[in-house]
Amino acid sequence: MISLGSLAAFALVALGMVLTPGPNMIYLIGRSITQGRAAGFLSLLGVVAGFVFYMLCAAFGLTALLLAVPLAYEAIQWAGALYLLWLAWNAVRPGARSPLEPRTDLPHDQPARLFAMGFLTNLLNPKIAVLYLSLLPQFIEPERGHVLVQALLLGMAQIAVSFSVNLAIVLAAGAVAAWFRTRPTWLAVQRWLMATVLAALAVRLACERRPV
């Protein structure tokens, strides 16, 4: 069984990762505000499913295979970068509105679509796969038992931390929106700041070399 020290250390790394603004956080905030907390929660379940997918791939060695095939890795890498750029453009295009601005003119997506969009948002980021592949081995202690079991336990700890933080974001999105509602200037600043962060993440992702 994995030591509590290693588990706690990995959980702290996971906490730092989930607190860093990114596509998941932006999507969950926007969906929670435009369609309510229930929609945000369903979207969060999709995000968690993406983490589970990458965790299982890493635990069973499929991620290593993905990274060993340049075309497969680069396809996901570029798809993720283009998706981030698309999100950035939608934040600042003519007529765009901040995801923190409540809207009533948007169609309410069905539960299956909410889940799928959350899953896709998390899946189109090969850095998650790289993170699992590079971090998991550092916290696994072969002398303490089955490596696969330890990998799954670490992955579940990361998922639990990510779920808890993102759930708090979903629940607090309404209060954040209320603050911004009376401050239109800050809404505009938030849109451009979000677009800048997303574009920077896209460029960084596109320029990142495949791990060897």
Side-chain angles (χ1 to χ4, degrees), residues 158-169:
Q158 185 271 331
I159 291 171
V161 170
S162 297
F163 176 81
S164 301
V165 172
N166 283 314
L167 180 60
I169 290 172

Side-chain angles (χ1 to χ4, degrees), residues 54-68 133 136 148 151:
Y54 274 124
M55 177 192 71
L56 294 177
C57 285
F60 289 100
L62 297 179
T63 302
L65 177 61
L66 172 67
L67 296 178
L133 191 66
L136 281 177
L148 176 60

Side-chain angles (χ1 to χ4, degrees), residues 4-69:
L4 290 178
S6 294
L7 195 61
F10 188 76
L12 285 175
V13 173
L15 179 62
M17 182 182 72
V18 73
L19 288 176
T20 303
N24 289 342
M25 183 182 294
I26 292 170
Y27 173 73
L28 291 173
I29 289 175
R31 182 50 61 189
S32 299
I33 291 174
T34 57
Q35 198 171 333
R37 290 177 176 175
F41 182 74
L42 287 172
S43 300
L44 174 56
L45 293 181
V47 170
V48 170
F51 280 125
V52 171
F53 174 82
Y54 274 124
M55 177 192 71
L56 294 177
C57 285
F60 289 100
L62 297 179
T63 302
L65 177 61
L66 172 67
L67 296 178
V69 181

Side-chain angles (χ1 to χ4, degrees), residues 179-202:
W179 187 90
F180 275 99
R181 187 182 299 118
T182 57
R183 297 167 175 83
T185 300
W186 281 104
L187 279 174
V189 171
Q190 183 274 330
R191 286 196 299 113
W192 282 95
L193 180 61
M194 180 179 69
T196 301
V197 171
L198 288 170
L201 287 172

Side-chain angles (χ1 to χ4, degrees), residues 3 15 30 49 71 79 82 87 100 102-103 107-108 112 115 129-131 133 137 142 144-145 148 152 154 170 186:
S3 67
L15 179 62
L71 289 179
L82 290 173
L87 290 175
L100 297 176
R103 301 181 63 175
H108 281 204
F115 182 90
V130 175
L131 178 70
L133 191 66
R144 297 185 66 91
L148 176 60
L152 292 175
L154 289 169
V170 167
W186 281 104

